[in-house]
Amino acid sequence: MVVLSKPAMEHFSIVNNCKSSSFFNGVPLIDLSKPDSKNLIVKACEEFGFFKVINHGVPTEFITKLESEAIKFFSFPLSEKQKAGPPDPFGYGNKKIGPNGDFGWVEYILVSTNSEFNYQKFASILGVNPETIRTAVNDYVSAVKKMACEILEMLAEGLNIHPRNVFSKLLMDEKSDSVFRLNHYPPCPEIQQLSDNNLIGFGEHTDPQIISVLRSNNTCGLQILLKNGHWISVPPDPNSFFINVGDSLQVMTNGRFKSVRHRVLANSVKSRLSMIFFGGPPLSEKIAPLASLMEGGESLYKEFTWFEYKKSAYKTRLADNRLVLFEKVAAK
């Protein structure tokens, strides 16, 4: 088990009972159908690097179909699920997160959205049709990517950047290096015996890509780090999508937007299922602050390709500040 040290517990909310009083109710809620949404998105990215959206246009049937397939898969015995692993980096993984010693109370499926993942890994699992999973993932990802691009274009408009597809074109590129992840956090009754400690489901980190789109079931556990250094619990909301600013977007906005630090705590009673689309640029894409956002100021970051950043990030621990190696001057 991965248990937090006592000093790290100071700003933790007790997640075992999911008390509504411990939730942070200040997460920006943005209605994508409203005309002022572009300005609200910019404000949310500046203040939190995190917000949730409604009227997102993602068909409910795509969400329920994929969730149903995920629940079915994660309900299989571990010996069966492991036939779809190990993650290399795609496939099924259990507890181990990445190659550098990070562990969590989580199991997951990681797939590429560019057909690099061989769904035949699922074929040897009795009762699993790999084509059914492929179709469910593709339908869901297609709709979520469309929504992510709409948000990125609203961001560009809100920042008065031209053309408005300056961010979204990176996700729409046929060589876009986007990935999709299904995380399952089983209930952990042992938490009750940890007294004042909590169990880490997924350790604190930022997402290296441009934008992340998260949807989870009605189980709590997600926390984000505020600018004041306090961790706060985000109320679960299965009817909305949560949006994270990624490291790459932080660089492209020259630090105006901050990549949000977040983590997931395990739950003693209920399992948590989350589905995350990570919108990434092509591997050869050069990432650097946009000239129009520097306003005569100095670039905070060196130019790098997404491949260089991804390679560097792969060598780090989850909680590491991956951008520090690419800072030109001390980021404010």
Side-chain angles (χ1 to χ4, degrees):
M1 291 195 306
V2 182
V3 181
L4 296 175
S5 62
K6 213 160 189 175
M9 290 302 305
E10 290 176 3
H11 302 303
F12 267 48
S13 302
I14 299 300
V15 77
N16 303 10
N17 300 316
C18 289
K19 293 178 180 177
S20 59
S21 60
S22 69
F23 287 136
F24 175 71
N25 294 312
V27 175
L29 173 62
I30 297 172
D31 184 339
L32 294 182
S33 68
K34 297 291 179 66
D36 65 338
S37 55
K38 62 184 181 183
N39 297 318
L40 294 176
I41 291 173
V42 169
K43 184 179 178 183
C45 289
E46 291 175 335
E47 189 172 349
F48 296 100
F50 180 84
F51 55 95
K52 68 177 183 178
V53 297
I54 56 173
N55 285 326
H56 42 71
V58 178
T60 303
E61 59 265 30
F62 289 174
I63 300 171
T64 54
K65 175 63 176 176
L66 181 55
E67 187 173 69
S68 174
E69 288 298 319
I71 291 171
K72 178 181 176 182
F73 175 81
F74 288 124
S75 297
F76 282 108
L78 179 60
S79 58
E80 288 294 304
K81 290 180 287 193
Q82 285 177 328
K83 293 177 182 178
D88 52 359
F90 303 123
Y92 171 79
N94 182 49
K95 293 191 171 66
K96 185 178 179 182
I97 303 169
N100 303 309
D102 288 298
F103 285 84
W105 190 259
V106 63
E107 58 179 342
Y108 64 90
I109 299 170
L110 182 67
V111 303
S112 168
T113 62
N114 290 342
S115 304
E116 291 176 34
F117 178 63
N118 181 5
Y119 282 85
Q120 288 307 308
K121 283 189 173 187
F122 292 96
S124 58
I125 302 174
L126 190 64
V128 171
N129 184 338
E131 283 307 309
T132 302
I133 296 179
R134 182 200 298 274
T135 300
V137 169
N138 287 350
D139 287 346
Y140 177 87
V141 166
S142 177
V144 166
K145 182 167 82 169
K146 181 181 177 183
M147 183 249 291
C149 288
E150 179 186 351
I151 290 171
L152 289 173
E153 290 178 3
M154 287 181 178
L155 266 180
E157 286 185 0
L159 291 169
N160 294 313
I161 298 173
H162 303 284
R164 72 190 297 265
N165 71 339
V166 65
F167 302 124
S168 64
K169 68 181 181 182
L170 303 178
L171 271 61
M172 295 304 294
D173 193 298
E174 62 179 15
K175 294 182 179 178
S176 165
D177 185 43
S178 297
V179 296
F180 178 68
R181 187 179 185 112
L182 285 161
N183 284 335
H184 176 238
Y185 304 90
C188 183
E190 297 170 51
I191 295 177
Q192 303 287 10
Q193 302 161 21
L194 297 177
S195 62
D196 63 343
N197 286 335
N198 280 313
L199 187 71
I200 285 292
F202 208 109
E204 70 167 280
H205 64 286
T206 59
D207 296 337
Q209 291 88 353
I210 296 170
I211 190 173
S212 305
V213 181
L214 163 73
R215 190 266 172 192
S216 65
N217 64 359
N218 202 27
T219 301
C220 60
L222 176 64
Q223 295 191 325
I224 63 171
L225 184 66
L226 298 182
K227 287 181 179 179
N228 62 11
H230 290 180
W231 285 100
I232 51 95
S233 293
V234 177
D237 184 354
N239 300 311
S240 303
F241 283 92
F242 291 97
I243 310 297
N244 291 0
V245 168
D247 295 344
S248 297
L249 188 56
Q250 176 172 322
V251 171
M252 295 177 78
T253 59
N254 205 33
R256 180 168 174 177
F257 296 167
K258 290 292 190 290
S259 182
V260 63
R261 282 196 165 267
H262 54 289
R263 65 188 176 195
V264 175
L265 303 186
N267 192 290
S268 62
V269 181
K270 297 171 66 180
S271 65
R272 184 173 187 271
L273 181 71
S274 62
M275 310 189 288
I276 314 104
F277 168 74
F278 299 96
L283 289 172
S284 61
E285 183 69 29
K286 292 179 179 178
I287 308 295
L290 298 177
S292 58
L293 293 181
M294 287 194 284
E295 300 173 346
E298 189 174 358
S299 169
L300 297 179
Y301 303 97
K302 307 168 190 173
E303 183 180 85
F304 53 86
T305 65
W306 169 239
F307 175 78
E308 289 170 335
Y309 190 57
K310 187 177 180 181
K311 184 179 178 182
S312 173
Y314 195 67
K315 297 175 183 177
T316 64
R317 296 289 301 269
L318 271 179
D320 290 346
N321 178 1
R322 304 184 184 100
L323 278 176
V324 72
L325 296 175
F326 299 89
E327 290 177 359
K328 211 171 190 178
V329 295
K332 294 180 181 178

